[in-house]
Amino acid sequence: MRKIAASLGPRGMQLVRLAGASYRLARSHEPATAEHARRFLAQSMGRLKGLPQKVGQILSMADGASADTFAELTGNSEPLPFSVIEQVLAHEWRRPWREVLAELEPDGKAASLGQVHRGRLLSGEAVAIKVQYPGIAKAVQADLKMLGWLSLPLSGLGRQFNLAGYREEMLRDLLEELDYLHEADNQHQYDFLSRYQPGLVVPTVHGRLCTPRVLVCAWEEGATLAEAAQWPEPQRKAAARVFLEHALGFFRNGFIHADLHPGNFRFRQTPGGEVELLLYDFGCIFRAELNVRLALLRLIQITEENADADPYPLFVALGFKPDYLEPL
């Protein structure tokens, strides 16, 4: 891959072909045709990066054949050439990367908005260097203009929801995710949280090397979800427990990692046998005020207890519009 199609014209044509493949997949009754369409979709989403790859990452969490086909989009899609990454680093750091790093591996792990390379600081510490794709912000803008096409893999999203509202919401979130200084702040918050939640590991950010398009943090490794699934039962249960404890921490802390596809977390075991949850990629964080968290807890409680309670004020507290709730 040499560059990402960013302008609306060329990118729009690729998105049209993507939508055509998704339509064939949705209508196919032949396993061979469906598999061909899935593979074409996964490869096309990986080349386009941006919002299409994010859609593919969602599809990787489905059941059955789709999960296997789209799994590569959580970290194993085709990266940009190392020469492009070198140019971005030189521009962001205002000097060649060799003046900042002792080593930088040329092979990167590609994600939707950027790719990660392993490096080593002059001090000797191993670091993960996330570099944003050149032109990806413009590509995201084009994707959102074509959201009606992109909705097809998700079974007619455009026919059921207000796409204008979704575009506005997604644009705001994606612009935040494209600001790696904002992500570094999120990661600092999670790092602080990890000190009070046993089993949670957040890589330490090297703030002096971070820019709006480059994020540098400590290199941390662990087992993928598929690898951890092969652990003995006690370790598997411990991994599930620490993952659940992280999720429940939302009610206490008011924020949580909002992009937990399998490429963004790992599990590992300490020398003492404890299982830890290692989190990556903090560009997308969900935050909620106390009243929202309490309303959600109350809804869970009355559902669990099958209680005779009015859920209307709770849904309003969660942000649903009263006018839309009244007919229900």
Side-chain angles (χ1 to χ4, degrees):
M1 177 185 290
R2 292 299 167 193
K3 63 179 182 178
I4 297 172
S7 60
L8 184 58
R11 194 169 179 85
M13 291 303 298
Q14 294 184 49
L15 293 174
V16 168
R17 290 194 289 271
L18 192 70
S22 68
Y23 181 85
R24 291 193 298 274
L25 176 60
R27 299 297 187 273
S28 175
H29 299 291
E30 295 293 332
T33 303
E35 178 60 20
H36 177 77
R38 275 194 296 268
R39 291 190 179 280
F40 176 81
L41 276 171
Q43 292 169 2
S44 299
M45 289 170 169
R47 286 193 297 269
L48 284 165
K49 309 298 185 189
L51 194 54
Q53 185 161 341
K54 284 190 172 294
V55 172
Q57 290 169 350
I58 294 173
L59 295 176
S60 75
M61 293 183 279
D63 294 326
S66 291
D68 294 336
T69 304
F70 293 102
E72 66 179 27
L73 298 177
T74 64
N76 294 319
S77 62
E78 184 182 1
L80 294 188
F82 186 56
S83 59
V84 176
I85 299 304
E86 290 182 302
Q87 293 173 18
V88 175
L89 290 175
H91 180 271
E92 293 297 305
W93 286 342
R94 302 289 190 265
R95 49 185 166 164
W97 67 262
R98 290 178 177 83
E99 297 182 14
V100 180
L101 304 170
E103 294 178 5
L104 181 61
E105 294 183 0
D107 296 328
K109 292 283 188 180
S112 55
L113 304 180
Q115 63 192 52
V116 177
H117 292 255
R118 180 171 181 165
R120 185 167 60 85
L121 299 179
L122 298 176
S123 62
E125 182 179 353
V127 290
I129 303 162
K130 183 160 76 167
V131 182
Q132 192 174 115
Y133 300 130
I136 193 64
K138 187 176 180 180
V140 165
Q141 301 267 0
D143 292 345
L144 290 172
K145 290 180 181 179
M146 296 290 292
L147 187 57
W149 291 103
L150 289 174
S151 68
L152 288 176
L154 298 180
S155 303
L157 180 67
R159 295 190 298 273
Q160 301 175 38
F161 295 94
N162 177 5
L163 285 180
Y166 272 84
R167 278 194 291 265
E168 182 178 345
E169 183 74 17
M170 292 174 71
L171 178 59
R172 183 175 67 251
D173 290 344
L174 285 169
L175 288 177
E176 284 189 356
E177 197 169 346
L178 285 165
D179 181 358
Y180 285 179
L181 292 178
H182 177 77
E183 179 175 348
D185 288 339
N186 288 340
Q187 196 158 336
H188 276 305
Q189 290 187 48
Y190 247 91
D191 189 21
F192 180 79
L193 167 67
S194 68
R195 302 171 193 176
Y196 300 93
Q197 184 171 329
L200 180 62
V201 178
V202 176
T204 301
V205 174
H206 292 271
R208 64 183 179 83
L209 296 179
C210 295
T211 77
R213 295 202 299 163
V214 175
L215 187 142
V216 182
C217 63
W219 182 271
E220 302 278 4
E221 294 187 79
T224 65
L225 179 62
E227 292 168 343
Q230 304 305 313
W231 287 354
E233 184 177 357
Q235 284 73 32
R236 293 201 310 271
K237 288 184 176 180
R241 186 180 304 111
V242 72
F243 194 93
L244 179 60
E245 288 173 351
H246 162 252
L248 295 177
F250 161 73
F251 293 103
R252 178 179 64 252
N253 306 302
F255 62 95
I256 194 169
H257 196 302
D259 193 15
L260 277 179
H261 63 72
N264 281 344
F265 63 89
R266 295 287 188 273
F267 296 101
R268 69 185 186 190
Q269 299 182 50
T270 68
E274 299 295 323
V275 174
E276 296 177 328
L277 171 65
L278 171 60
L279 295 182
Y280 305 126
D281 197 338
F282 296 84
C284 187
I285 299 296
F286 175 67
R287 292 176 172 81
E289 297 296 331
L290 180 60
N291 67 308
V292 172
R293 285 176 273 151
L294 291 175
L296 184 56
L297 276 172
R298 179 58 179 156
L299 275 174
I300 293 172
Q301 180 185 27
I302 64 176
T303 302
E304 175 69 18
E305 298 175 354
N306 196 25
D308 185 15
D310 182 10
Y312 175 83
L314 301 175
F315 279 112
V316 172
L318 289 175
F320 288 87
K321 292 185 177 181
D323 291 345
Y324 293 168
L325 290 174
E326 287 289 354
L328 301 177

